[in-house]
Amino acid sequence: MKPFKPYTPNQLYLLPPCPKDWLPPKHLAHFIDEVVDELDLSAILGAYTEERGQPPYHPAMMVKVWLYAFARGIRSSRRLERALYEDVAFRMLSGNQQPDHWTLSEFRRRHLQALGELFVQTVQLAQKAGLVKLGRVAVDGTKVKANASKHAAMSYDRMEEEEQRLREEIDRYFAEVEATDQAEGEDGSEDELPEALRTAMRRREAIRQAKAALEEEARQKAAAKEAQRRAEAERKGRPYRPRQDPQQAKPSPKAQRNFTDPDSRIMRESGGSFVQAYNAQAAVDTASQVIVAAELTNQAADVVHLRSMVDQVEANTGQRPGGVLADAGYFDSDVIEALQARGMEVLIPPDKLPHRLRRQRSAPPAPPPPEDAPLRERMRYRLQQPEVLQRYREREQSVEPVFGQIKEGRGLRQFLLRGLPKVRALWRLECAVHNLLKLYRAGVRFRSGPPASSGVESKTMERSMGVPQAA
């Protein structure tokens, strides 16, 4: 019989093994272990001021296991708890500690905003590593499902109809009870309400609250619109005449609100279907696919995000991009001219065309439009020039693959939390993990010094970077 290599799973070790030796030297877990020690965790560490009680798990360890979990597509605290027992990489990062799922979930809940803000630090790390060129940035948005069903949403006019129906149902019941009590000489009591009626009353109260929220939202939008008109009139030196009283504004009959996640909205996906979702925005450096700005809102239209995304790029990097690329959903003449006035080349087609048709466009017509032609005409002409079209094609080669890597590669199809602030922090955390993976794949490494005693003050790191390669 052919001899086999020794197999002794019950063999005891003379000396305890180091968990780090069980992983290859270039394993992602080693990179996460090193890079977290480079991050400023003071916002998390500063929350631990109570000296009484049992010592908590070290925040650096918790951040490491959560970042590695997101990089592996694990977002459930129960799945993460199981991995801390079964996966060598997780056991190495945790120092062979196994927090239970409640502790893991509570840490994420308590520090969610601080975890989301790690995104800015990852942008700065990529910038120091030479991955952020800012020659051109591509801006795009993608719809990510909310943790709510679209069937749990109701329009404003439907709310009014349902509220009226429930009011009549409740009044009819009490009228029947009153007639029965008078006939039998008894006193009724609300404590004896049937379950169906109590459900109807609770539903009516929920509808009232949803209506009130929609009405308040309509008043705020009307006030903001009037304020914008006033500022525009003052800028042009014209008298301002209000068109409506914001306090009298009413929601559109089709305005909807979801009872499960009121902050989410029904949005149309690229395939044409409608989902209960949020609009996740990203601005990507076209040279490296590093995300340099990330935002998430409940506004379905992309056009309102262009200016703020470019502003965030400058705030995060301290530099102004040389060019901005976006699809037709971002076309706004005023915003484009404002960005051009700041010295940026803005390439945004005014017409929505599939990539296949845009690639087949012929040479630009002659003669070109006059200089005083509308921006739409001038932009159409520019995007038909081969050299300009070649630059614009960087958009579909940069930001669209990034969404594919996040949604398909790491499985982000639906947020697990509810509410705009929480979901926004989750999206920025996803983008932070994406940037860390770009650093890892570009060969950037961090060399740690001797272990220190505690916290941010213990960072004695020396950065050792390889030559950045294409991510």
Side-chain angles (χ1 to χ4, degrees):
M1 179 182 293
K2 186 175 181 64
F4 299 102
K5 293 181 179 180
Y7 174 63
T8 55
N10 297 322
Q11 175 68 48
L12 299 179
Y13 291 91
L14 179 62
L15 296 175
C18 176
K20 290 188 175 183
D21 295 339
W22 286 32
L23 295 172
K26 296 183 179 180
H27 196 277
L28 174 61
H30 291 308
F31 175 78
I32 296 294
D33 184 41
E34 297 166 2
V35 76
V36 169
D37 292 327
E38 287 288 317
L39 298 177
D40 181 5
L41 303 181
S42 58
I44 298 176
L45 293 166
Y48 294 90
T49 57
E50 180 59 62
E51 297 182 358
R52 297 174 297 177
Q54 289 291 326
Y57 290 102
H58 199 288
M61 182 272 287
M62 300 290 277
V63 171
K64 289 176 183 179
V65 297
W66 267 121
L67 289 179
Y68 185 67
F70 271 64
R72 292 273 302 274
I74 297 175
R75 299 172 181 87
S76 163
S77 58
R78 292 182 183 273
R79 288 185 60 196
L80 177 52
E81 178 189 11
R82 184 164 62 248
L84 287 168
Y85 285 96
E86 301 174 352
D87 192 300
V88 173
F90 279 103
R91 297 189 74 150
M92 183 274 287
L93 287 172
S94 68
N96 208 25
Q97 301 178 89
Q98 287 82 29
D100 60 26
H101 65 272
W102 185 92
T103 303
L104 293 165
S105 177
E106 180 63 16
F107 178 86
R108 182 181 61 184
R109 182 204 64 79
R110 181 181 182 185
H111 304 294
L112 184 58
Q113 299 303 320
L115 290 171
E117 291 310 305
L118 293 178
F119 165 72
V120 178
Q121 295 189 51
T122 66
V123 175
Q124 295 168 351
L125 284 176
Q127 193 172 12
K128 292 177 181 178
L131 297 184
V132 177
K133 307 295 185 182
L134 289 185
R136 280 178 288 276
V137 297
V139 182
D140 204 356
T142 184
K143 308 301 189 294
V144 183
K145 290 182 180 179
N147 189 5
S149 170
K150 65 180 180 181
H151 302 294
M154 186 179 291
S155 63
Y156 185 74
D157 57 350
R158 180 80 172 85
M159 288 181 189
E160 291 190 317
E161 295 174 2
E162 186 68 7
E163 184 182 20
Q164 178 63 26
R165 186 189 68 79
L166 291 171
R167 183 187 300 112
E168 293 174 355
E169 179 181 333
I170 295 170
D171 292 344
R172 183 169 58 252
Y173 170 81
F174 282 114
E176 292 174 357
V177 170
E178 181 67 21
T180 302
D181 290 342
Q182 290 180 359
E184 297 178 357
E186 297 180 0
D187 293 331
S189 172
E190 287 194 7
D191 295 335
E192 300 171 1
L193 291 177
E195 180 61 29
L197 186 62
R198 289 199 294 270
T199 300
M201 296 177 73
R202 287 194 294 266
R203 182 173 175 81
R204 180 186 174 189
E205 180 59 28
I207 290 175
R208 281 180 174 175
Q209 294 177 4
K211 279 185 59 182
L214 284 176
E215 291 165 355
E216 177 62 25
E217 186 178 306
R219 287 192 288 268
Q220 291 179 358
K221 287 183 178 179
K225 189 174 182 179
E226 288 300 313
Q228 183 179 3
R229 290 185 62 250
R230 181 193 296 273
E232 184 71 13
E234 291 177 353
R235 184 175 67 86
K236 295 182 178 181
R238 299 182 309 190
Y240 165 71
R241 298 182 180 85
R243 293 182 179 177
Q244 63 172 339
D245 181 4
Q247 296 303 316
Q248 302 300 320
K250 290 290 184 182
S252 165
K254 299 300 181 183
Q256 295 191 346
R257 194 164 182 85
N258 191 281
F259 293 99
T260 305
D261 185 356
D263 289 343
S264 63
R265 298 290 184 269
I266 291 181
M267 300 182 183
R268 186 175 182 176
E269 290 186 307
S270 57
S273 60
F274 289 89
V275 293
Q276 195 75 31
Y278 287 95
N279 189 353
Q281 297 281 315
V284 175
D285 188 294
T286 60
S288 60
Q289 293 186 357
V290 170
I291 301 176
V292 290
E295 192 54 78
L296 181 137
T297 72
N298 55 10
Q299 296 174 283
D302 287 331
V303 66
V304 297
H305 300 101
L306 180 60
R307 190 195 302 267
S308 61
M309 290 298 293
V310 176
D311 290 343
Q312 190 185 139
V313 171
E314 292 191 46
N316 292 342
T317 64
Q319 298 180 26
R320 181 171 296 170
V324 178
L325 314 176
D327 61 25
Y330 290 88
F331 190 89
D332 183 310
S333 298
D334 294 337
V335 176
I336 292 174
E337 290 175 349
L339 295 179
Q340 290 174 338
R342 290 158 62 178
M344 305 179 208
E345 180 190 38
V346 184
L347 299 178
I348 302 177
D351 310 304
K352 184 175 179 61
L353 286 176
H355 298 325
R356 175 178 55 83
L357 295 180
R358 190 174 298 283
R359 295 189 190 102
Q360 296 174 355
R361 297 294 290 270
S362 59
E371 293 184 0
D372 58 350
L375 181 62
R376 286 180 175 272
E377 296 183 17
R378 288 182 280 129
M379 187 65 73
R380 287 192 191 100
Y381 177 81
R382 278 182 54 78
L383 287 172
Q384 289 178 356
Q385 301 178 52
E387 66 278 7
V388 177
L389 183 59
Q390 186 64 31
R391 293 198 296 274
Y392 178 74
R393 284 175 179 166
E394 294 179 8
R395 186 196 71 83
E396 61 192 71
Q397 301 165 3
S398 55
V399 66
E400 292 184 3
V402 165
F403 288 148
Q405 294 158 20
I406 294 175
K407 299 178 73 173
E408 186 66 28
R410 295 191 287 280
L412 178 64
R413 292 296 183 179
Q414 184 177 28
F415 291 113
L416 298 181
L417 302 183
R418 296 168 181 161
L420 183 58
K422 295 180 181 178
V423 176
R424 178 182 181 273
L426 278 179
W427 172 246
R428 289 172 69 84
L429 180 57
E430 294 280 355
C431 295
V433 171
H434 173 87
N435 286 348
L436 292 179
L437 289 172
K438 289 299 177 183
L439 285 164
Y440 167 71
R441 290 165 184 156
V444 179
R445 295 295 180 267
F446 302 90
R447 185 173 63 246
S448 61
S453 57
S454 64
V456 176
E457 298 176 353
S458 70
K459 292 198 304 184
T460 55
M461 299 300 180
E462 178 183 351
R463 184 176 295 108
S464 175
M465 297 182 181
V467 177
Q469 304 169 357

